[in-house]
């Protein structure tokens, strides 16, 4: 029974073994080294508004320390936008807000698929991305950081320049990259820092050099550090009674680790969890088709990449649509989406959509699992053991 020292040790060892079986590795084993000069140039780039054509937005505008490198908002972006090429791949509909993703572990070993719908994916032989064969790099994080500056509504205003710039083709993206590279080349601080990082003359700076520095900064600054849970598993440190209980639920009857597993607490696969769809939705009218937008496979409707869970206590609100503010609500939505009547859409079309979501969800191992409030509270406490800080603070732009 609880209370006996032998039973406590047994429970701890069961939890340690479960974490190892689910693929947890020491934080250091995930690291990919990045040259310090590249990190330094990347940090300047990350914080500058010059990376947006209209000088309005910096990466740091939406990826803030204060919010665990996300933005604390349900939806980050906010405009429409439709065209050929890139937009076609998005499966039609308006390009519209999603919840900002944080950066923990991004681009470290084995982390090579990006965004909620996995639209940059280097897991297979050929990379999949909106560049459709014209990828600027074989490093998927370098490809991923190419997207924000040319995504309408994200860093590119809809009113930006000419029709060509708004067409969202690779050619129009390249025009924007050239303009940005030229601007950064001429910047008295960033130009020399980038030139030094790449050992080139400032006049030679191209956008690929910019993107490599940004990726280097993200990869280094947000790399995993040993969390209290790592220390528990790999260095025999203690966790609290509630953390252990929550951990046992996570790996045990909560079945969380069937999807949230591996070094980053994600299987890098796509599943449907019936989170309420707040906001307009990427596909319009309160709908976001998720992975389907990339694969156009109806089996992928409403599926999203399993989010990693490091620092998840800091990145409210939750889900691809940012519809839930409390971690406990995010967990409850996995097992019992109707627990809150507010989660049920009021519009008949959206309800029809919600039934489709429930149909997909019904095949997941969490569908209809009974977790009571205390179980969920303990899961929240457990997730708190996955916190750590970024290497250097990111300055917020004014
Ligand atoms: C307007 C807010 C906003 C700005 C500005 C912004 N981002 Fe993001 N970022 C987001 C949102 C929202 C997502 C999730 C989008 C999605 O998955 O569809 C995201 C996702 C990402 C991801 C994918 C992370 C993952 O887990 O796969 C990377 C990488 C990224 N952003 C890098 C950048 C960089 C680099 C910049 C600056 C060049 C930048 N972002 C600027 C809002 C923003
Ligand atoms: C079937 C796979 C699967 C299982 C099992 C699962 N999750 Fe998830 N989880 C996901 C996916 C996919 C999302 C994102 C869905 C979305 O945004 O639409 C998610 C989102 C989350 C989020 C929100 C993260 C964020 O950044 O927005 C938390 C927290 C979470 N899961 C915790 C848990 C816990 C705790 C359990 C066990 C009770 C669990 N999950 C079980 C797949 C799963």
């Amino acid at each position: 029974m609880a209370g006996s020292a032998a039973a406590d040790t047994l429970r701890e060892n069961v939890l340690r073994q479960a974490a190892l079986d689910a693929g947890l590795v020491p934080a250091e084993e995930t690291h990919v080294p990045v040259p310090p000069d590249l990190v330094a140039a990347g940090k300047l780039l990350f914080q500058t508004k010059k990376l947006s054509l209209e000088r309005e937005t910096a990466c740091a505008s939406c990826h803030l320390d204060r919010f665990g490198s996300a933005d604390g908002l349900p939806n980050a972006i906010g405009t429409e936008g439709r065209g050929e090429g890139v937009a076609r791949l998005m499966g039609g509909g308006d390009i519209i807000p999603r919840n900002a993703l944080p950066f923990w572990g991004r681009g470290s070993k084995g982390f090579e698929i990006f965004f909620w719908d996995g639209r940059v994916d280097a897991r297979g032989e050929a990379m999949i991305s909106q560049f459709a064969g014209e990828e600027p790099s074989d490093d998927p994080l370098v490809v991923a950081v190419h997207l924000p500056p040319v995504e309408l509504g994200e860093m590119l205003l809809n009113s930006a320049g000419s029709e060509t710039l708004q067409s969202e083709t690779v050619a129009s993206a390249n025009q924007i990259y050239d303009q940005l590279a030229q601007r950064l080349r001429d910047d008295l601080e960033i130009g020399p820092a980038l030139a030094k990082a790449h050992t080139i003359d400032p006049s030679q700076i191209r956008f690929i050099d910019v993107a490599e520095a940004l990726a280097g900064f993200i990869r280094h600054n947000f790399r995993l550090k040993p969390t209290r849970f790592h220390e528990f598993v790999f260095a025999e440190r203690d966790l609290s009674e509630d953390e252990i209980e929550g951990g046992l639920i996570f790996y045990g009857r909560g079945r969380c680790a069937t999807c949230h597993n591996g070094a980053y607490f994600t299987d890098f696969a796509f599943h449907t969890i019936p989170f309420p769809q707040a906001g307009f939705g990427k596909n319009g009218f309160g709908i976001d088709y998720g992975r389907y937008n990339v694969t156009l496979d109806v089996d992928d409707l409403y599926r999203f990449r399993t989010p990693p869970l490091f620092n998840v206590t800091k990145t409210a609100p939750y889900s691809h649509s940012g519809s839930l503010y409390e971690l406990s609500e995010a967990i409850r939505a996995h097992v019992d989406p109707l627990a809150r009547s507010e989660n049920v859409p009021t519009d008949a079309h959206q309800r029809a959509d919600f039934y489709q979501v429930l149909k997909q969800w019904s095949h997941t191992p969490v569908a209809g699992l009974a977790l009571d409030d205390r179980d969920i509270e303990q899961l929240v406490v457990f997730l708190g053991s996955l916190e750590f800080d970024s290497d250097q603070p990111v300055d917020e732009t004014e």
Side-chain angles (χ1 to χ4, degrees):
M1 239 335 276
S4 110
D8 284 354
T9 315
L10 182 64
R11 278 153 39 85
E12 285 177 0
N13 287 340
V14 167
L15 179 53
R16 288 193 176 101
Q17 193 56 48
L20 293 173
D21 290 346
L24 191 74
V25 300
E28 300 76 16
E29 284 185 17
T30 65
H31 292 175
V32 175
V34 185
D37 284 344
L38 199 62
V39 175
K43 182 163 195 278
L44 294 176
L45 290 164
F46 194 83
Q47 296 169 173
T48 182
K49 293 187 174 174
K50 291 186 176 162
L51 255 178
S52 64
L53 204 60
E54 313 275 327
R55 299 173 208 262
E56 283 227 329
T57 327
C59 308
S61 307
C62 298
H63 296 281
L64 298 153
D65 271 354
R66 208 150 41 99
F67 302 111
S69 78
D71 62 0
L73 301 169
N75 285 171
I77 326 162
T79 82
E80 76 289 341
R82 197 181 168 152
E84 306 130 30
V86 174
R88 191 173 50 74
L89 263 186
M90 299 308 300
D94 294 329
I95 297 195
I96 277 292
R98 283 213 180 127
N99 188 228
L101 280 160
F103 289 150
W104 315 104
R106 271 55 173 182
S108 287
K109 281 189 193 142
F111 201 128
E112 38 193 27
I113 176 161
F114 295 96
F115 302 106
W116 281 108
D117 47 21
R119 62 185 179 275
V120 174
D121 182 355
R123 294 169 308 165
E125 253 165 51
M127 196 180 316
I128 296 166
S129 84
Q130 290 157 325
F131 288 96
E134 295 178 54
E135 279 76 15
S137 164
D138 359 320
D139 177 340
L141 184 56
V142 172
V143 174
V145 305
H146 271 75
L147 300 182
V150 295
E151 203 139 315
L152 288 177
E154 186 154 341
M155 293 183 87
L156 185 62
L157 289 187
N158 269 325
S159 53
S162 65
E163 288 262 317
T164 342
L165 289 186
Q166 287 181 47
S167 69
E168 295 208 318
T169 58
V170 174
S172 76
N174 283 335
Q175 279 188 38
I176 296 170
Y177 295 143
D178 287 345
Q179 282 190 42
L180 294 177
Q182 184 165 14
R183 177 191 294 173
L184 295 163
R185 209 182 282 156
D186 297 341
D187 184 277
L188 294 179
E189 195 184 7
I190 296 171
L194 265 174
K196 183 167 176 239
H198 292 286
T199 50
I200 51 177
D201 188 79
S203 66
Q204 296 171 294
I205 291 169
R206 292 170 309 148
F207 193 78
I208 184 69
D209 304 311
V210 172
E212 284 176 359
L214 274 171
F217 173 68
I218 291 174
R219 180 171 274 140
H220 178 80
N221 201 51
F222 303 96
R223 70 190 186 282
L224 302 191
K225 304 253 183 74
T227 61
R228 290 197 309 110
F229 188 58
H230 283 107
E231 305 212 309
F232 167 79
V233 174
F234 298 108
E236 306 264 308
R237 297 269 166 75
D238 288 341
L239 285 183
S240 75
E241 197 40 50
D242 278 341
E243 284 168 335
I244 290 171
E245 197 51 48
L248 289 169
I249 298 172
F250 188 90
Y251 289 103
R253 68 190 162 86
R255 302 190 192 162
C256 311
T258 42
C259 302
H260 297 281
N261 57 33
Y264 305 98
F265 290 88
T266 169
D267 53 2
F268 294 112
F270 298 84
H271 308 277
T272 305
I273 302 298
F275 285 112
Q277 175 65 48
F280 196 62
K282 194 142 185 136
N283 294 91
F285 303 105
I287 292 174
D288 189 333
Y289 292 140
R291 181 67 173 158
Y292 169 85
N293 287 335
V294 175
T295 63
L296 303 182
D297 177 346
V298 289
D299 272 356
D300 284 334
L301 280 168
Y302 313 106
R303 290 183 196 265
F304 294 88
R305 187 190 68 188
T306 305
L309 295 178
F310 287 109
N311 284 319
V312 73
T313 38
K314 302 177 187 171
T315 59
Y318 299 105
S319 91
H320 70 273
S321 79
S323 54
L324 294 173
Y325 277 84
E326 299 291 333
L327 199 44
S328 56
E329 289 302 321
I331 297 172
R332 188 171 285 109
H334 282 66
V335 295
D336 184 5
L338 300 179
R340 289 193 344 162
S341 55
E342 305 94 287
N343 293 357
V344 181
T346 47
D347 171 276
H349 290 281
Q350 288 180 20
R351 245 185 342 264
D353 205 56
F354 186 61
Y355 298 137
Q356 297 300 322
V357 169
L358 292 180
K359 211 157 91 186
Q360 290 269 32
W361 166 69
S362 67
H363 303 293
T364 70
V366 266
L369 208 71
L371 293 181
D372 62 24
D373 287 354
R374 182 160 163 74
D375 296 332
I376 291 177
E377 251 345 288
Q378 283 172 324
L379 282 165
V380 169
V381 172
F382 167 69
L383 292 176
S385 73
L386 305 181
E387 285 182 2
F388 65 96
D389 288 327
S390 63
D391 212 47
Q392 312 168 37
V394 173
D395 293 341
E396 295 185 17
T397 49
E398 64 295 336

